[in-house]
Amino acid sequence: MLRVLVVDDQFLIRSGLTALLGAAPGIEVAGEAADGEEAVRLAAETRPDVILMDIRMPGTDGITATERILAEAEAEAQARAGAGAGAGADGGDEGTGRVRPKVLVLTTFDSDEYVFRALRVGASGFLLKDTPPDRLLAAIATVHAGEMLFSPRALQGIIAAYAVPVARDPHPGLAALTPREREVLGLVGAGLSNSDIAERLVLSAATVKTHVHRCMSKLGVSSRAQAVVLAHESGLVTRPS
C-alpha cells in the first residue's frame, strides 16, 4: 500500500485530495497537514512514501518544509547506515522498510522559479492544482518509482534559466565521487536517461543505475531532479553530442 501525506492550507483542497486518494486502489492517506510545520512533524511520525506539498502556506512554506523533511530523512538514513543498517537502492533503509519520501509539489502558480526552487531542495515533481485526477494519481506512482515528473527538455530550460555554476565552495560530496561517477553525474545533468548513458558509455543499464545511486548517496540528494540541478551548479554537465 502506497502511503501519501497531503499538505495544503486550504481545507477544501486538502479534503478533496484526501477523498480522491482514499478512493484510489493501492493508496492510503497517511495524514493531512495544514501548514509546513505540521507537515514536517507528520512526515516524521507517519513516514509516508509520497508527500503532496503545497508551496504557499502561512508560516513555513512548502519549499522550506520539503527541504527540512528530506534533510531529516537523509540524516536518519545516514545515521542508520553508520550503525550498519545500510540503504536500499530505492531510497529505503534495509532492514527497516522505511523510505525517504518523494515530494510532489502542487500549486496554483505556474512559475519556473517555483519549480526550480522545489527541484533544488529535492522535490521529485511539480503539478498544478487543476491537474485531472487520473493524471495526479499517475504522477504519484511516477515519483514513487523514483522517476522525475518533468520532461528532460522542460527541465533543461528551467535549469538553464535559474541554475548558476558555483565558482567557490563546491559541494563537499563531489570529492568522494570516482571519475566514472562524475562522468555519469554530468550526463544525468545533461538530461540523459540511464539507458542513454549506458549506450553512450558502453555500460549495462544496471551498472549505470548503480553509479547514479552511488552519486546520489554520496551527495546526499533525494531525487534525480536534485542531482540534475547539482550537476549544473557544479559545472559537471556534459552536453551529449
Side-chain angles (χ1 to χ4, degrees):
M1 187 70 73
L2 195 161
R3 306 180 71 249
V4 181
L5 173 63
V6 178
V7 184
D8 198 293
D9 66 316
Q10 298 183 46
F11 173 76
L12 289 178
I13 292 177
R14 193 170 67 250
S15 60
L17 289 170
T18 299
L20 171 66
L21 297 174
I27 294 180
E28 174 187 348
V29 177
E32 301 177 41
D35 56 54
E37 284 296 329
E38 189 176 16
V40 173
R41 177 178 62 80
L42 286 179
E45 292 177 0
T46 66
R47 300 184 181 279
D49 300 298
V50 175
I51 301 174
L52 296 183
M53 181 73 75
D54 187 20
I55 285 185
R56 286 194 173 182
M57 296 181 288
T60 302
D61 64 21
I63 292 176
T64 301
T66 295
E67 184 173 27
R68 287 175 55 186
I69 288 168
L70 296 179
E72 289 180 10
E74 179 62 26
E76 180 178 349
Q78 293 295 333
R80 301 190 72 85
D90 62 351
D93 298 327
E94 293 178 357
T96 69
R98 294 171 178 171
V99 297
R100 300 177 183 88
K102 305 296 183 183
V103 178
L104 178 57
V105 172
L106 297 176
T107 184
T108 55
F109 303 96
D110 187 8
S111 166
D112 285 352
E113 182 179 1
Y114 283 126
V115 176
F116 177 72
R117 289 176 60 200
L119 286 175
R120 200 175 190 280
V121 300
S124 297
F126 186 97
L127 285 178
L128 295 179
K129 289 183 180 179
D130 60 2
T131 297
D134 57 342
R135 187 180 172 195
L136 173 61
L137 295 176
I140 290 172
T142 295
V143 298
H144 181 243
E147 300 176 25
M148 294 188 299
L149 197 67
F150 307 91
S151 70
R153 179 174 297 180
L155 185 62
Q156 291 300 308
I158 292 167
I159 290 174
Y162 292 100
V164 178
V166 178
R168 294 180 296 176
D169 299 323
H171 191 290
L174 290 172
L177 300 183
T178 66
R180 176 64 88 184
E181 288 167 351
R182 291 174 70 93
E183 184 177 22
V184 169
L185 179 60
L187 293 171
V188 167
L192 275 67
S193 66
N194 285 359
S195 59
D196 292 334
I197 296 172
E199 181 178 356
R200 183 179 178 87
L201 299 181
V202 195
L203 298 171
S204 71
T207 298
V208 172
K209 182 177 180 180
T210 297
H211 283 313
V212 172
H213 172 66
R214 287 176 177 170
C215 286
M216 293 176 64
S217 179
K218 290 178 180 180
L219 295 171
V221 298
S222 305
S223 69
R224 191 181 183 99
Q226 191 179 18
V228 170
V229 173
L230 193 151
H232 274 263
E233 293 186 331
S234 301
L236 295 179
V237 174
T238 302
R239 297 292 180 182
S241 57

